[in-house]
Amino acid sequence: MNKNSSNIMALAPSTSNKRETVCIFGTGDFGRALGHKLIQSGYPVVFGSRSTQAPSLIPKDAEVLSHAEAAQKAAIIIIAIQRQHYNFLTPLAEILHGKVLVDISNNLKMNEYPESNAEYLAQLVPGAKVVKAFNTVSAWALQSGTLDASRQVFVCGDNMQAKQMVMDIVRSLGLTPLDQGSLLAAREIENYPLQLFPMWKFPIFLSLGLTAFFFFYCLIYNVIYPYVQENQDFSFFIAITIANQICPTLALILLASVYLPGILAAIIQLYRGTKYRRFPDWLDKWMLCRKQLGLIALAFASLHVLYTLVTPIRSFIKWRTSSQTISQALNNETEPLDNTNAWLGDSYLALGILGFFLFVLLGITSLPSVSNSVNWREFRFVQSKLGYLSLILCTAHTLVYGGKWFLYPSSYRWYLPHAYMLALIIPCIVLVVKFVLIFPCLDKPLTRIRQGWERNPQHSE
Amino acid sequence: MNKNSSNIMALAPSTSNKRETVCIFGTGDFGRALGHKLIQSGYPVVFGSRSTQAPSLIPKDAEVLSHAEAAQKAAIIIIAIQRQHYNFLTPLAEILHGKVLVDISNNLKMNEYPESNAEYLAQLVPGAKVVKAFNTVSAWALQSGTLDASRQVFVCGDNMQAKQMVMDIVRSLGLTPLDQGSLLAAREIENYPLQLFPMWKFPIFLSLGLTAFFFFYCLIYNVIYPYVQENQDFSFFIAITIANQICPTLALILLASVYLPGILAAIIQLYRGTKYRRFPDWLDKWMLCRKQLGLIALAFASLHVLYTLVTPIRSFIKWRTSSQTISQALNNETEPLDNTNAWLGDSYLALGILGFFLFVLLGITSLPSVSNSVNWREFRFVQSKLGYLSLILCTAHTLVYGGKWFLYPSSYRWYLPHAYMLALIIPCIVLVVKFVLIFPCLDKPLTRIRQGWERNPQHSE
Amino acid sequence: MNKNSSNIMALAPSTSNKRETVCIFGTGDFGRALGHKLIQSGYPVVFGSRSTQAPSLIPKDAEVLSHAEAAQKAAIIIIAIQRQHYNFLTPLAEILHGKVLVDISNNLKMNEYPESNAEYLAQLVPGAKVVKAFNTVSAWALQSGTLDASRQVFVCGDNMQAKQMVMDIVRSLGLTPLDQGSLLAAREIENYPLQLFPMWKFPIFLSLGLTAFFFFYCLIYNVIYPYVQENQDFSFFIAITIANQICPTLALILLASVYLPGILAAIIQLYRGTKYRRFPDWLDKWMLCRKQLGLIALAFASLHVLYTLVTPIRSFIKWRTSSQTISQALNNETEPLDNTNAWLGDSYLALGILGFFLFVLLGITSLPSVSNSVNWREFRFVQSKLGYLSLILCTAHTLVYGGKWFLYPSSYRWYLPHAYMLALIIPCIVLVVKFVLIFPCLDKPLTRIRQGWERNPQHSE
């Protein structure tokens, strides 16, 4: 559709009726893609290039001129050129005076240069109004129209009017401009496309570390101990049995660690008697990555569910079930139904199912589009009330399942308790402290502190 | 990043290049958070406070003045003060004349006061242009930048220009302004953050009621009857067996109740011969909460799937299977494969899987971000066609599974039918009526009525 | 945008406080719904109608006048009338001169008329500025406020100012305007609401075709062959056994077909020595529907998981397990645990679980709201790195499960290999070629080509 529209738009006569011309320096991938998109949106586009011979891939309706000629035709010039070649702009400084220069460049490494590309450009052409924009958009996405990755365009610059002009262009391309302030923000904006899940780094390293620890712990407990003590080869436990001990353990610990910082913050506020002092840095950082911790916990919980559900199709389990049945049949004995066992078994499964169900609900409400459509009170209700309920159910699930092991001495191998017992420590602490904090003697002062009351007001200055 | 940038922006000389100063009355949490954010976005901020001694937590680049002095410096004044203290504004009325006052306050209860806070403010300072905004944003979210909950800012006010100025500020903070009309909408806007899933109330109460009913029904049928009649203790059925009867029953009934109002509406329109008369209120309300009903049905269906899949790991089931096998082995009998049974068993599972799969698809397409990226025809295709297909499959799944029980007298305990039979009533009615409505003799007039045709046109005037 | 609007607002004298009047021609469903919404947003609305007697359903605050009178009251006239009746506008041409006419009409079929409705309107009233808008919004959604389907309003028109005015109205109704260029785009915009998942057509037909093929293949292999050769009736295999062979086969083939075009593109680029020549059309199209192929593959994979997990509750499987156990018990034999078997069984399940888990992660990141909140590098990391890892795990899962069948002659029935062997062909090719492309001798030139280097530079002109 858009090819047609651009062809014929060139015919449209009255120029008063048209958008302002945009100039693009550079005919590389991104320059061409942006030019194409601008023409589609009704902007006359002129390219500035070393050779004014139009390459075959330049959009048909665009003019190609020398840099100087092209710059004179437009108030906005998009610099689609790599930082290393910016110095060719120095001789053009006079022509570029007062123009809006849009820096769209990215670097290959974070903080590659002492100053951001946009600031460097502003130094080279002091008379121009430099605006940083478009660096988060990919040429391929612009060209194919499949803007699956972000539609957000970060914009910054020292001149309000220039920034406004660029933001209007961004908006008319169907993208969302986000004003990030003065040109100083350019460094941050240039680093953004090079980021790889920065908020996820700590949660992922934490869970990898815990996974490694619990893997070796369970390996010793489930494989090495039986091999050394009873000469039995259970090495195949690694694939599912051990994985299915690591997953629930990590899910529970990480879920508890989502609620632990809130409890620590409450204790600190109670102790200090004011909310007007900053938390230690580590606590601030921990609180900001709670969502990521929760989602990783959910991932482990989901794996635990899958690992558990395949239990009856495992060769080992099938063999064990059938050999137990056969030995009973051969001994001619039929066990009666143990009602307590049936209760315990069913209720631990039911607790697990309900806990996991609430956990998935929490995960769904943390999807950006869902959390955007609830108000703050609803969001907190789900994340706090339902979250604690889920933690309680999951802890109870583990307690009912593994609780009996606390009593049997045989469950301590080489004085090591079963992994489930370790998994229960943090969740139980969180739940007990939370329970204590609910008592009015602690809850009342805490609420007052959070509303701004201070025990020793001089502290706050 | 932004702290630094804001520090230096204040140094920038040319004021023509700057945004307009914004004044904030009040140095509480929200006032400070908003001030900080405004400075980041390039607005000079001046605080109006009782004590002009800047508290330690006020953003560095902001000035703190007396209320009167601060008000004179800006055209827009954000009132970050609780409604109870609004009367201090009365003496300032002269200074505030013509200014834009932004009311950001919330109440603790719905409809706490006879008039909204914004209208009260407009009465107190008659010369000012009052705009309601920002009340849906949380201070914590503003401060930490994690605007997980809504980015939407509802704006209303009687003066178009004032509203436009506030909406421009909202947009430059990276939030989305939504114009809600005149200041009369303030009441609605002030109630919004106090809402707790208002659209979910009826569906949740309905499903809770049905859950309670079916719980006691199944308790009588599965636990009390065997206990009274055969003195068998099946109390452990509560944890999973009964839960797994309640869940599919409710899933099916609620799914059918999503399509029931559409069918009632069609019958009413056919009977009246016109679409130009309003439906009864209860039907209107029912139609508006169909999405919520469907999602709760999906939640029950998911629980049913989990409860069913854990069946083979339940102690009771393991015991029953093994004791059946042992008794067969001891009696030296080997049953041949019953082909009909295999067909029935497999097809009821297959129907359930396909029905659940379509149901999950429906759930995914009702995620806000997914439903936003399809057109109206596609949305209706999925929600209507695939929805009915899912209902048909789930009803067939239940019929194939529980159909045989209609025939056995033993499945009536104390004259009570099995819960599955009750579950089938509404879905079957919906499907039969829908099937009848498809016939041309009814479909044709219905289509014409929906296109605006009236049987007795005088009715519509 | 706002400059213009505020300029004009500034001109309006005492009414500066009000929005401009909007005229709507036509009092049908959509006209009324739009009028209602406009009044809510503060626009005075006047309806133009044949009979000036206001029907009961017209919003109360709206005036109803004759077409000519109504048109004179407003600068913007929304034509809420079907194309067939447009010719009544011809006599009004003089009054409509210079007005903004908003065409909101849709057709019943794609490309029903030689020119779009908006262009036809522009021909009928040459002096007016025609803008196409609102055709993607449904009257019911406008009225009930449940804009679940798209909030996007495509806007196009030849006059920039007229378009801007309409886009301002769109924005103030809480909808998102998307500028699509000149009025030529109207055809595309009018076709949009009639589309039914156009991007999904090829992937769905492909998977339906493959499903049909594999269904008959598995039917011959699993049902007809045993019936003919051994006279055994396994017809009930259709419900689950065969379905559970089709699903994983298609999931694997479709997942591989997501990565195949990328590999073909790399080979073409390496062969041509340049990236500046277009790919063949079929490859371009294939690359644009990779997301859809991947999501269908995920659907099949999910079905496979469900079909597999219900295995132990199937009547046939229960019968087989129990009869095997009984026969062992009767023969008084107890098989020892086969360690290799336990390893194989557990590792194929573990590989499948991890592969499916990564696959679901891929699916979640392709939700619009999630992919919008990651940067380009993160999106590519997930879709490419995790995607390949998922493909490797799923292929390994299939190899470990079905690998042994390559060796047994009994798995060839009528010279036909088992479906799993066919399923492995494309994934294995993709993984082997990808592995070869990673070698530096191929990876280096490919990277240089993708950065713009050309082997024979004359080619590009």
Side-chain angles (χ1 to χ4, degrees), chain A residues 58-119:
Chain A
I58 289 279
K60 276 182 204 162
D61 301 320
E63 244 179 312
V64 181
L65 301 172
S66 75
H67 288 120
E69 286 172 312
Q72 273 161 335
K73 289 220 168 184
I76 294 187
I77 298 156
I78 295 170
I79 313 292
I81 284 169
Q82 286 178 314
R83 180 196 172 111
Q84 300 95 282
H85 309 124
Y86 277 6
N87 40 16
F88 89 92
L89 292 167
T90 327
L92 298 169
E94 211 166 305
I95 296 165
L96 299 177
H97 190 88
K99 303 273 183 188
V100 178
L101 300 191
V102 186
D103 184 304
I104 62 164
S105 63
N106 276 318
N107 296 324
L108 296 174
K109 271 181 273 170
M110 285 215 186
N111 305 320
E112 202 176 351
Y113 297 100
E115 76 286 272
S116 70
N117 300 355
E119 288 167 298

Side-chain angles (χ1 to χ4, degrees), chain C residues 143-160:
Chain C
Q143 218 155 12
S144 66
T146 58
L147 282 159
D148 271 334
S150 186
R151 287 173 175 281
Q152 295 182 345
V153 173
F154 297 113
V155 180
C156 76
D158 286 333
N159 186 292
M160 288 304 296

